[in-house]
Amino acid sequence: MAIPRRILLVAVGLVCFIGFFTFHLHTRDTLSNARPEYLSPNRIPTHSQKTGQLDPEAHKLPWADSFSAHFKALTDVKNITMAEAKAGCHWPADEDVNFQYNADVGWVVTDRPDEEINARRKAWQEWCSGAWPGYSPRIPLEIHYWDNEMTEATLKDLAAIYQPMSFNDLSKPDNIIQVKKDGEYLNFQLKTAALINSKFAEPLLLDSDNIPILDPASLYESRVYQEYRTVFWPDIARSWPQNPAWAITNTPCRMDEYEQESGQMMVDKRRYWYHLQLAAWLNNDQGRYYNEFLLGDKDMFRFAWHALKTAYGRPKKWLTSVGTLNDGSYYCGHSFAQHHPDDGRVAFLHGGLVKWTAPEVMRWNREEMGGYFRHYKRAPTDEDPAQIVHVGIKFDEAKYMPDHTEPYKVAMCTDMRDLEAGNLDDILPGWEKEYEELGGYWMLEQETKSVAESEKAGAHAH
């Protein structure tokens, strides 16, 4: 069965904290169709530019991003003075060429000093070479949810944040596959259903507590994705040898394989339509059985690929644990840094346990300790999945309040017990500030707002 490049159904959907975004790079579908014919891929000019040199024929560069090296070379150009700039034009005094400004305007009468010119020049050059945002089409976004989890007001507010954005209610009967919700929590089957119901041919699935650190579009050009047309990112644990899924899928237990962490996932649905159907079947129709030994949707994908004897793409590096180190020795990992498939740069920060953190613990770290994202643990052999790192889940044992003599056990943590914690700024400089600016502490701010409103209402009542 061939899946169309564009499924016309608007299919999205998910649940509060396990809702997810799907991104899709349009390069192979929409963008190529939108290019003028004279710039279609098979007619792009062969003009090229030497790195580090200004391009004398920059007007022939085919795309906005093609100017990157040209812009970087701008700072190597010899700077000229005001006098040298003026010398380029030498009209007779009586020629009426500067009619838009009178001869008595200040900057006509008195040259601006070279110091001012140099400072202004440096400012725009730095902006062009470092801060200039790369040009790329806005990646379309889908939000998947279930029934009354989204109100009309919420949908409207979200749509105002980013465009293009579309929505889908997984409870509606017009989805490609139907799925049932099982209680209020842990409805992992909604993720496999939403992935299949997505209108995109090559979606990037993200949990709602997952923040892209790199431009997601760059992942589609990675060597791993180009070869496998999938990227499954690793979890912190491995599957027990006794796990029935190994035998059920005729797959010997693998020492070099971690479980799958599906807070982010890439897949070409045109190639793996049946693989995804099997994963959905394991998760939806057979979920009550498989969820006894496979934690929700994540390993349903991995074992569907094993069952169909198909290799999947994996990033070069294992995950990094991100968290806090308090009282000198109590490390609490609450998020995972996941890496670019090829080069190991941090690509995502998935806040798995952050959403379960008690507000008082988060507030104490933020206000008293300098933030909730301060440290990390990374295996020294994170490119060798066969190496063993002892991991586990625990309660944070830091004593958060001065009057507490016992650990304040209201924060669950992951840990890599054999490893020393490092400073997060070494791998994600300035992330704590960035997280705050992104509104990551919305839970605390929402709580503060609620308290203020309650106090205000009480004052009015008196």
Side-chain angles (χ1 to χ4, degrees), residues 34-260:
R35 291 173 178 148
E37 212 245 295
Y38 61 85
L39 284 181
S40 61
N42 60 347
R43 298 188 64 180
I44 291 177
T46 57
H47 174 83
S48 61
Q49 175 191 354
K50 292 182 179 180
T51 302
Q53 296 182 9
L54 281 179
D55 191 335
E57 295 185 305
H59 61 286
K60 294 183 180 180
L61 292 169
W63 310 113
D65 283 341
S66 303
F67 283 81
S68 177
H70 182 75
F71 291 153
K72 289 180 180 178
L74 290 172
T75 54
D76 295 330
V77 174
K78 180 182 180 296
N79 295 327
I80 64 174
T81 65
M82 266 298 303
E84 290 170 327
K86 288 170 57 180
C89 296
H90 38 79
W91 295 290
D94 58 352
E95 285 287 336
D96 189 12
V97 294
N98 297 314
F99 63 90
Q100 295 189 74
Y101 295 95
N102 294 329
D104 60 355
V105 173
W107 53 265
V108 175
V109 176
T110 305
D111 291 347
R112 292 291 172 89
D114 286 333
E115 292 79 6
E116 177 184 336
I117 299 300
N118 291 337
R120 294 290 177 172
R121 181 193 296 120
K122 182 179 180 181
W124 74 255
Q125 288 179 341
E126 288 180 348
W127 189 78
C128 289
S129 63
W132 196 316
Y135 174 79
S136 62
R138 297 205 84 184
I139 302 174
L141 182 76
E142 292 179 339
I143 294 184
H144 299 242
Y145 65 97
W146 181 271
D147 196 22
N148 59 2
E149 290 170 344
M150 292 282 197
T151 64
E152 289 298 322
T154 302
L155 295 175
K156 184 177 180 180
D157 289 344
L158 286 170
I161 295 173
Y162 185 94
Q163 287 295 329
M165 181 184 292
S166 56
F167 303 89
N168 181 61
D169 180 354
L170 276 178
S171 70
K172 299 296 184 184
D174 57 353
N175 285 286
I176 298 171
I177 66 168
Q178 302 300 306
V179 65
K180 295 180 180 179
K181 189 177 178 185
D182 185 15
E184 291 299 315
Y185 303 105
L186 304 180
N187 285 278
F188 298 116
Q189 72 277 11
L190 300 184
K191 289 175 67 174
T192 47
L195 186 60
I196 291 177
N197 286 322
S198 167
K199 64 183 177 182
F200 301 140
E202 298 179 59
L204 165 61
L205 178 153
L206 289 181
D207 277 0
S208 60
D209 58 356
N210 197 325
I211 304 173
I213 304 299
L214 302 177
D215 179 358
S218 67
L219 302 173
Y220 287 89
E221 307 308 320
S222 67
R223 178 195 58 77
V224 171
Y225 182 75
Q226 287 293 314
E227 178 177 352
Y228 294 95
R229 312 302 286 186
T230 52
V231 184
F232 293 170
W233 275 267
D235 206 336
I236 197 170
R238 305 173 195 256
S239 295
W240 283 86
Q242 298 92 330
N243 194 309
W246 293 115
I248 291 172
T249 60
N250 286 321
T251 306
C253 182
R254 299 185 58 167
M255 290 285 292
D256 64 346
E257 182 176 287
Y258 289 94
E259 292 186 354
Q260 183 182 351

Side-chain angles (χ1 to χ4, degrees), residues 135-426:
Y135 174 79
S136 62
R138 297 205 84 184
I139 302 174
L141 182 76
E142 292 179 339
I143 294 184
H144 299 242
Y145 65 97
W146 181 271
D147 196 22
N148 59 2
E149 290 170 344
M150 292 282 197
T151 64
E152 289 298 322
T154 302
L155 295 175
K156 184 177 180 180
D157 289 344
L158 286 170
I161 295 173
Y162 185 94
Q163 287 295 329
M165 181 184 292
S166 56
F167 303 89
N168 181 61
D169 180 354
L170 276 178
S171 70
K172 299 296 184 184
D174 57 353
N175 285 286
I176 298 171
I177 66 168
Q178 302 300 306
V179 65
K180 295 180 180 179
K181 189 177 178 185
D182 185 15
E184 291 299 315
Y185 303 105
L186 304 180
N187 285 278
F188 298 116
Q189 72 277 11
L190 300 184
K191 289 175 67 174
T192 47
L195 186 60
I196 291 177
N197 286 322
S198 167
K199 64 183 177 182
F200 301 140
E202 298 179 59
L204 165 61
L205 178 153
L206 289 181
D207 277 0
S208 60
D209 58 356
N210 197 325
I211 304 173
I213 304 299
L214 302 177
D215 179 358
S218 67
L219 302 173
Y220 287 89
E221 307 308 320
S222 67
R223 178 195 58 77
V224 171
Y225 182 75
Q226 287 293 314
E227 178 177 352
Y228 294 95
R229 312 302 286 186
T230 52
V231 184
F232 293 170
W233 275 267
D235 206 336
I236 197 170
R238 305 173 195 256
S239 295
W240 283 86
Q242 298 92 330
N243 194 309
W246 293 115
I248 291 172
T249 60
N250 286 321
T251 306
C253 182
R254 299 185 58 167
M255 290 285 292
D256 64 346
E257 182 176 287
Y258 289 94
E259 292 186 354
Q260 183 182 351
E261 196 267 285
S262 64
Q264 59 286 304
M265 172 181 165
M266 298 176 68
V267 61
D268 186 341
K269 290 162 59 176
R270 293 167 298 192
R271 181 176 297 187
Y272 297 119
W273 182 244
Y274 290 120
H275 295 66
L276 291 171
Q277 292 289 327
L278 177 57
W281 179 81
L282 293 172
N283 206 352
N284 302 333
D285 295 0
Q286 305 294 310
R288 290 192 179 277
Y289 173 75
Y290 284 98
N291 276 315
E292 291 185 18
F293 45 84
L294 297 179
L295 184 58
D297 62 289
K298 64 188 194 75
D299 278 315
M300 304 293 185
F301 295 112
R302 180 170 63 113
F303 279 102
W305 260 250
H306 281 329
L308 299 178
K309 298 296 173 260
T310 307
Y312 57 83
R314 296 188 269 184
K316 182 179 180 181
K317 285 184 176 291
W318 186 41
L319 59 79
T320 294
S321 173
V322 174
T324 59
L325 181 68
N326 289 316
D327 296 343
S329 60
Y330 295 116
Y331 177 78
C332 178
H334 52 63
S335 301
F336 290 149
Q338 296 282 10
H339 301 94
H340 186 283
D342 294 349
D343 57 32
R345 290 175 295 162
V346 175
F348 303 103
L349 196 65
H350 184 195
L353 292 177
V354 169
K355 57 181 174 283
W356 302 108
T357 302
E360 55 266 38
V361 174
M362 185 176 288
R363 185 183 304 106
W364 180 82
N365 276 282
R366 181 191 188 190
E367 297 177 358
E368 301 296 330
M369 304 304 294
Y372 203 40
F373 294 83
R374 307 195 314 272
H375 299 92
Y376 76 96
K377 285 191 175 185
R378 170 184 283 178
T381 54
D382 61 357
E383 294 185 12
D384 182 1
Q387 293 294 318
I388 297 298
V389 174
H390 295 100
V391 300
I393 293 181
K394 64 179 186 180
F395 280 108
D396 193 349
E397 297 179 359
K399 299 176 179 61
Y400 292 103
M401 309 299 175
D403 57 342
H404 281 175
T405 57
E406 296 298 324
Y408 200 45
K409 294 186 176 181
V410 285
M412 290 190 65
C413 319
T414 58
D415 196 7
M416 301 179 181
R417 295 191 297 271
D418 304 333
L419 307 177
E420 295 293 325
N423 188 327
L424 185 62
D425 278 338
D426 294 342

